[in-house]
Amino acid sequence: MNDIQKSPVSTLGYNFIPNAFLPKGKNEYYLRNQQNSNTNYRRLTTDEINRLTQNRNTSDDWSKVLVSDIFNTGLVKNCQFYGLVRIGKLEPYYLEFHNLRRPVGLYNSTIISCDFGDNIVIDNVNYISHYIVGNDVMIVNVNELATTDYARFGNGIIKEGEQEKGRIWMEVCNENGGRSIIPFDGMLPGDAWLWSRFRDDADLQEKLIALTQSKFDVRRGYYGTIGDRTVIKNCKILKDVLIGSDAYIKGANKLKNLTINSSQEAKTQIGEGCELVNGIIGTGCRIFYGAKAVRFIMASNSQLKYGARLINSYLGDNSTISCCEVLNSLIFPAHEQHHNNSFLCAALVMGQSNIAAGATIGSNHNSRSADGEIIAGRGFWPGLCVSLKHNSKFASFTILAKGDYSAELDIPFPFSLVSNDVSNDRLLIMPGYWFMYNMYALARNAWKYVDRDKRTEKIQRIEYDFLAPDTVNEVFASLKVLEQLTPDEKGAASTAGMENSSRKTVVLKIPQSVKLFKELVRYYGTLELLHHFQKNAFTNFETFKETLPSKGQRSEWLNIGGQLMQKKEIEKLKSNIKAGKVKSWDAVHSFYKQQDAAYSAGKLAHAYASLLEILQIRHSQFTPALFKDLLQQSVATKEWMCKGIYNSRAKDYDSHFRKMVYDTVEEMDIVVGKLEDNSFIKYEEEQLKQYKKKVTGVIKFL
């Protein structure tokens, strides 16, 4: 039997905070008054009450309806008021947004204990309760808009009087909940990564819970808020939802227990048929066309569209998920997944990733429980209809060719192509594939992610360059493996430990890969030295060399939510959190900013150490002549990269199978654009010219 309680109608709109949780000497409005500090309200005159009554308005107590000095009774019609209602200016205007035109005022609505800003539109809202509404807001055709006294607005906290079992957890990376984290407004991808790892460190885990709980006020009685200029229309249920300014919500079915961040600079929009429960939505997000999300965080400027489902997952900044299903995953910034039949589950995906149609990165477990995981370095790109088995792990910029990979994989080589040679019953791995055959995609992806990074607050510095401390360290690890292999006359060799099966794993193009990887390390090191020389405007080699670390060793780096940091710095952060020196998530975020400020110097030290290591020399052996030679070699490297960018794109224009659908060359140029007009190729050609000038400018000082 439903527990339907009966209370006197005279109490409707009152006693929002239960007496057990009301501080001594405080009334039920004390938190509401803190949230809305506007005190410029007055009581209605007798004449105004009469006119409001004539306009078919009712109130249980007209003395509880307060208004501003500028108030027009003709703009309030057919409304029912309960509890304390405070109304800002109502002036004879109409508001218009996307062809929705409504006169300012309150019409045909039931309003319970709310505050309204200036010149708002409330029209046909069946039930609005305990909300503070900003200026110039439009709310039209909404069934229910309400806040409870224990509202948490998507944050995984527990309020006064609640039990721990009521806390919302987000089960990322693993379906068994063993890496669960507590979502909170402002959680960065680095926070989610830090929390989901180090599960054997009980002290750290307890401290992270405490940091989160202390971030929010656990007192009951906070009202929901709707920011200035937000528009909500044709929606069914919004309950315990905090909404920023300039948001646009239309046709949503159900929004419950959410924080929806939005601002003038980064407006968030939610469209028709969406159902979102227990989540945090960042600024500038777009959620449209029947998308579903439960226990989730969407970081800023992310999109969820076309029936996509996001459950128990963190979606990083500047990402898009359409038409598919993503469960129990932690996804770093710049992720793309656009296809109806792709599936991602129980995974840590470290950004710059693209999941193709038919890909099943899902629940294909090797144990009796749903406890498997996949870890994919940045640049992960499983191709059409790829099926993977948990557990699997992939180095950065791994691309998997179409296929059903029936055994667990551990791919240590970055920039590699992995393919399933079914006819010969073997696994093929080609290290360095991107540089050999798909330079255009590799370079363009690095460029486009920088171009598309629309975050208004860049607390974490996201590394998009394909040559960085993380990938270069993977290159060194790969060289150790590759140099131990004995290739045949075709440059291939069999190896073990990369697939959990008895069949062969064959590494292809070993000599070419070794040569390429060494050249990339030299290029990476030289590039950073060139930047350092120019940035500091050195005029001689001796002064320049004095600024380089003489005894530096190549350090270990981690990808922390897309931001690269030295492992030793993360260990310090963990120690400081456990010791109580880092007392809040804001302090953790300050650490990220400190690491951002130190990144250039750390990357330079890493690049120089990598250069000395690959050249097998000491600091004392780094001479002007060697630096000059390295600079000239770097020009040659950039030239073949630029040429590779052009050639890999030119294949699309030369192939008979690409051209056969067009009757003429002119038709093809109109449809796909001329190769010579490709803006990215032009950009890279210009970058090459500028790079040559920089090298020439530095060489004259050597």
Side-chain angles (χ1 to χ4, degrees):
M1 184 174 69
N2 289 342
D3 182 18
I4 297 177
Q5 301 176 6
K6 295 179 182 178
S7 302
V9 70
S10 59
T11 63
L12 179 58
Y14 302 98
N15 305 315
F16 181 56
I17 305 175
N19 287 331
F21 304 106
L22 192 62
K24 186 177 181 179
K26 301 289 186 181
N27 64 31
E28 65 171 297
Y29 307 121
Y30 82 105
L31 291 177
R32 173 182 177 178
N33 291 334
Q34 291 177 21
Q35 291 180 272
N36 180 16
S37 58
N38 181 15
T39 59
N40 297 318
Y41 297 110
R42 63 173 176 83
R43 290 193 174 191
L44 294 165
T45 66
T46 301
D47 182 58
E48 286 173 329
I49 293 173
N50 289 334
R51 278 183 280 163
L52 287 170
T53 303
Q54 291 171 4
N55 288 341
R56 302 183 307 279
N57 299 294
T58 63
S59 173
D60 65 305
D61 183 350
W62 283 111
S63 70
K64 297 295 186 182
V65 178
L66 306 181
V67 298
S68 73
D69 287 336
I70 301 176
F71 178 71
N72 187 333
T73 57
L75 303 181
V76 182
K77 297 179 180 179
N78 197 30
C79 291
Q80 296 175 293
F81 297 99
Y82 298 93
L84 176 63
V85 177
R86 301 186 291 202
I87 305 170
K89 295 178 183 178
L90 292 182
E91 300 175 284
Y93 300 118
Y94 77 85
L95 304 185
E96 179 178 356
F97 184 80
H98 288 194
N99 294 319
L100 173 67
R101 302 179 183 94
R102 286 290 191 276
V104 162
L106 293 83
Y107 308 97
N108 311 306
S109 300
T110 297
I111 298 165
I112 300 174
S113 195
C114 292
D115 289 348
F116 299 103
D118 296 336
N119 294 317
I120 49 89
V121 173
I122 305 294
D123 191 353
N124 197 30
V125 179
N126 293 341
Y127 183 88
I128 178 171
S129 169
H130 299 95
Y131 260 90
I132 298 172
V133 179
N135 301 319
D136 302 314
V137 169
M138 301 177 71
I139 307 177
V140 178
N141 298 333
V142 174
N143 287 357
E144 179 183 346
L145 180 57
T147 305
T148 60
D149 68 286
Y150 51 84
R152 291 163 291 192
F153 306 111
N155 298 294
I157 58 172
I158 50 176
K159 288 284 192 172
E160 289 177 311
E162 292 186 318
Q163 300 297 314
E164 180 63 35
K165 64 181 180 181
R167 189 190 296 275
I168 297 295
W169 289 82
M170 201 161 65
E171 299 174 355
V172 299
C173 298
N174 197 305
E175 290 178 85
N176 72 355
R179 296 193 185 276
S180 295
I181 62 178
I182 298 175
F184 62 87
D185 185 23
M187 175 178 260
L188 298 175
D191 305 335
W193 179 89
L194 183 70
W195 201 333
S196 66
R197 314 312 294 178
F198 313 114
R199 305 310 282 198
D200 56 339
D201 193 334
D203 291 342
L204 176 65
Q205 296 296 319
E206 288 180 8
K207 286 290 186 180
L208 295 179
I209 294 173
L211 292 187
T212 305
Q213 186 67 20
S214 65
K215 182 177 174 64
F216 300 94
D217 192 337
V218 299
R219 292 177 294 177
R220 293 180 179 231
Y222 280 96
Y223 279 38
T225 58
I226 299 173
D228 296 344
R229 299 173 301 281
T230 281
V231 177
I232 305 173
K233 70 176 186 179
N234 304 328
C235 295
K236 293 182 179 178
I237 299 172
L238 290 84
K239 186 173 183 179
D240 291 348
V241 179
L242 206 65
I243 306 172
S245 72
D246 301 278
Y248 183 30
I249 302 173
K250 57 176 180 174
N253 287 343
K254 184 174 184 178
L255 306 179
K256 181 179 178 182
N257 191 29
L258 304 171
T259 290
I260 302 173
N261 290 290
S262 183
S263 68
Q264 295 183 59
E265 300 78 18
K267 305 170 186 176
T268 290
Q269 298 183 20
I270 299 174
E272 293 83 355
C274 293
E275 297 170 2
L276 314 173
V277 178
N278 298 338
I280 307 292
I281 300 168
T283 56
C285 286
R286 301 286 187 273
I287 308 173
F288 292 135
Y289 311 124
K292 318 295 182 187
V294 180
R295 297 190 183 222
F296 69 100
I297 290 181
M298 288 180 64
S300 62
N301 300 290
S302 292
Q303 300 185 67
L304 199 63
K305 303 185 295 183
Y306 306 120
R309 287 160 289 172
L310 182 70
I311 302 171
N312 270 312
S313 295
Y314 186 108
L315 181 63
D317 309 81
N318 307 307
S319 297
T320 298
I321 293 178
S322 301
C323 314
C324 59
E325 186 171 10
V326 176
L327 310 174
N328 304 95
S329 293
L330 170 53
I331 303 171
F332 290 179
H335 174 79
E336 302 288 333
Q337 191 168 349
H338 295 286
H339 306 285
N340 189 47
N341 53 345
S342 61
F343 178 59
L344 178 65
C345 183
L348 169 60
V349 183
M350 296 187 169
Q352 295 168 263
S353 38
N354 196 318
I355 309 295
T360 303
I361 320 301
S363 304
N364 187 4
H365 299 279
N366 66 341
S367 73
R368 263 54 63 187
S369 177
D371 57 1
E373 301 180 26
I374 284 178
I375 298 177
R378 60 191 181 102
F380 182 55
W381 199 325
L384 294 170
C385 299
V386 161
S387 176
L388 296 176
K389 188 169 187 177
H390 293 76
N391 295 332
S392 288
K393 188 174 182 180
F394 302 93
S396 301
F397 295 95
T398 296
I399 184 169
L400 292 104
K402 178 179 179 179
D404 181 4
Y405 297 86
S406 57
E408 302 91 325
L409 299 174
D410 183 6
I411 308 300
F413 306 125
F415 310 110
S416 61
L417 169 66
V418 179
S419 54
N420 198 7
D421 185 0
V422 177
S423 59
N424 294 299
D425 193 28
R426 59 182 185 169
L427 182 74
L428 302 179
I429 305 174
M430 186 188 300
Y433 161 83
W434 288 93
F435 294 96
M436 298 178 190
Y437 299 105
N438 206 3
M439 193 68 218
Y440 179 88
L442 182 64
R444 185 178 178 276
N445 283 351
W447 166 80
K448 78 177 183 182
Y449 290 130
V450 175
D451 186 62
R452 295 176 183 177
D453 191 349
K454 305 302 182 184
R455 292 174 297 160
T456 56
E457 187 177 16
K458 297 181 179 180
I459 296 175
Q460 288 202 264
R461 173 177 181 165
I462 309 303
E463 177 62 88
Y464 295 115
D465 199 329
F466 48 80
L467 289 179
D470 61 335
T471 54
V472 169
N473 281 351
E474 289 178 333
V475 165
F476 273 105
S478 298
L479 285 171
K480 288 184 179 180
V481 176
L482 292 171
E483 289 175 337
Q484 292 176 357
L485 300 177
T486 304
D488 59 20
E489 65 278 3
K490 294 182 180 181
S494 297
T495 188
M498 298 181 192
E499 184 181 55
N500 187 20
S501 75
S502 58
R503 68 174 182 168
K504 285 185 178 180
T505 296
V506 179
V507 182
L508 306 174
K509 296 186 179 293
I510 294 172
Q512 297 96 315
S513 300
V514 170
K515 181 177 181 295
L516 170 66
F517 281 169
K518 289 182 177 180
E519 182 175 355
L520 290 176
V521 175
R522 290 196 300 270
Y523 177 71
Y524 162 72
T526 304
L527 196 61
E528 290 302 314
L529 292 179
L530 173 65
H531 291 335
H532 179 58
F533 197 105
Q534 282 203 312
K535 179 181 177 181
N536 293 278
F538 293 113
T539 57
N540 61 78
F541 180 81
E542 289 72 22
T543 305
F544 162 68
K545 186 176 179 180
E546 287 175 359
T547 63
L548 302 177
S550 60
K551 297 181 180 179
Q553 290 186 329
R554 183 168 53 86
S555 53
E556 187 173 353
W557 290 66
L558 299 173
N559 184 346
I560 314 300
Q563 181 176 4
L564 302 185
M565 304 182 203
Q566 294 186 62
K567 183 178 180 180
K568 63 180 182 180
E569 297 299 328
I570 297 301
E571 293 300 323
K572 290 179 184 177
L573 172 63
K574 290 163 54 183
S575 296
N576 288 337
I577 291 173
K578 291 188 289 185
K581 296 178 181 179
V582 172
K583 301 180 183 296
S584 68
W585 281 111
D586 288 340
V588 174
H589 297 172
S590 294
F591 167 81
Y592 296 158
K593 290 182 178 180
Q594 293 166 8
Q595 292 304 303
D596 178 8
Y599 181 62
S600 294
K603 187 176 182 181
L604 173 66
H606 179 271
Y608 184 56
S610 299
L611 185 63
L612 297 183
E613 184 176 346
I614 205 69
L615 295 174
Q616 297 183 331
I617 63 173
R618 298 185 300 276
H619 175 69
S620 60
Q621 295 172 285
F622 184 59
T623 63
L626 176 57
F627 189 33
K628 179 180 178 180
D629 183 51
L630 289 168
L631 287 169
Q632 292 169 338
Q633 289 180 37
S634 72
V635 170
T637 300
K638 190 151 184 77
E639 284 178 335
W640 71 250
M641 284 185 175
C642 192
K643 184 178 180 181
I645 290 169
Y646 179 88
N647 289 342
S648 59
R649 182 62 175 139
K651 293 176 185 177
D652 296 333
Y653 289 80
D654 296 336
S655 169
H656 161 72
F657 294 97
R658 292 298 296 263
K659 294 190 292 185
M660 67 184 182
V661 296
Y662 307 104
D663 293 331
T664 65
V665 173
E666 289 76 16
E667 182 188 2
M668 181 176 177
D669 288 342
I670 291 171
V671 175
V672 301
K674 295 181 179 180
L675 178 61
E676 57 268 26
D677 293 338
N678 185 289
S679 60
F680 178 66
I681 291 176
K682 286 184 175 181
Y683 169 79
E684 285 297 318
E685 289 172 344
E686 179 59 30
Q687 290 297 107
L688 175 60
K689 291 178 183 178
Q690 295 300 320
Y691 187 77
K692 289 179 177 178
K693 289 181 180 179
K694 292 177 182 179
V695 168
T696 301
V698 170
I699 285 178
K700 70 181 182 181
F701 292 111
L702 302 180

